[in-house]
């Protein structure tokens, strides 16, 4: 490889190109954002309905959809050929692997540790992951989503535990599903131009 001297302008241009490439790849996957918005909302509203109807022993059953969603997400990215990511894409992959592993460990392997504070902690973890993603790809829409999710997690600590899934479902629609749809529409418009 040749040793090239880059001017500051060339360096900034290269950095912006890498960020825009990562942003473009993420935006075309607004589908995954919307997918998780629907999946989270279905599970959370399902839990809330079970709790309100007195099915306390099985109230967490709707969350068994989450591992299926994770498997589908891995398959989706595999089919799209994400093995050729730039450095920002790789960094975001590691961030989300860490977030998802922590959520699965807390939610499925150690659910008794946090008990009624599990949903707030999960929301905070997801909010942080989304905020990091937004910073990496320079997206205000994603940043606002992350902030909403993070604040919802903090607000959840003050809610009676039976209403936490309801807030999770609402936040999933507002901060995941709707932004995912917006990203898909914006990407489609850029493709048609």
């Amino acid at each position: 490889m040749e040793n090239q001297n880059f001017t500051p302008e060339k360096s900034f241009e290269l950095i912006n190109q890498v960020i825009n490439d990562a942003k473009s790849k993420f935006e075309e996957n607004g589908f995954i954002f919307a997918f998780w918005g629907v999946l989270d909302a279905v599970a959370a509203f399902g839990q809330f309905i079970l709790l309100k109807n007195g099915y306390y022993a099985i109230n967490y059953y709707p969350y068994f959809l989450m591992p299926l969603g994770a498997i589908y997400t891995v398959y989706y990215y595999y089919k799209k050929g994400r093995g050729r990511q730039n450095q920002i894409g790789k960094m975001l992959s590691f961030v989300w692997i860490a977030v998802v592993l922590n959520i699965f460990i807390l939610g499925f392997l150690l659910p008794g540790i946090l008990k009624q504070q599990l949903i707030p902690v999960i929301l905070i973890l997801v909010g942080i992951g989304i905020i990091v993603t937004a910073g990496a790809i320079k997206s205000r829409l994603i940043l606002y989503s992350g902030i909403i999710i993070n604040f919802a997690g903090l607000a959840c600590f003050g809610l009676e535990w039976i209403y936490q899934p309801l807030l999770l479902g609402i936040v999933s629609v507002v901060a995941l599903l709707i932004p995912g749809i917006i990203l898909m529409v914006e990407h489609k418009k850029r493709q048609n131009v």
Side-chain angles (χ1 to χ4, degrees), residues 37-54:
V38 169
L39 193 63
D40 289 348
V42 166
F45 291 141
Q47 181 185 28
F48 178 70
I49 290 167
L50 289 171
L51 287 170
K52 285 304 264 183
N53 288 303

Side-chain angles (χ1 to χ4, degrees), residues 129-140:
I130 291 175
I131 289 168
V132 169
T133 299
I137 65 169
K138 296 183 177 179
S139 171
R140 282 191 192 157

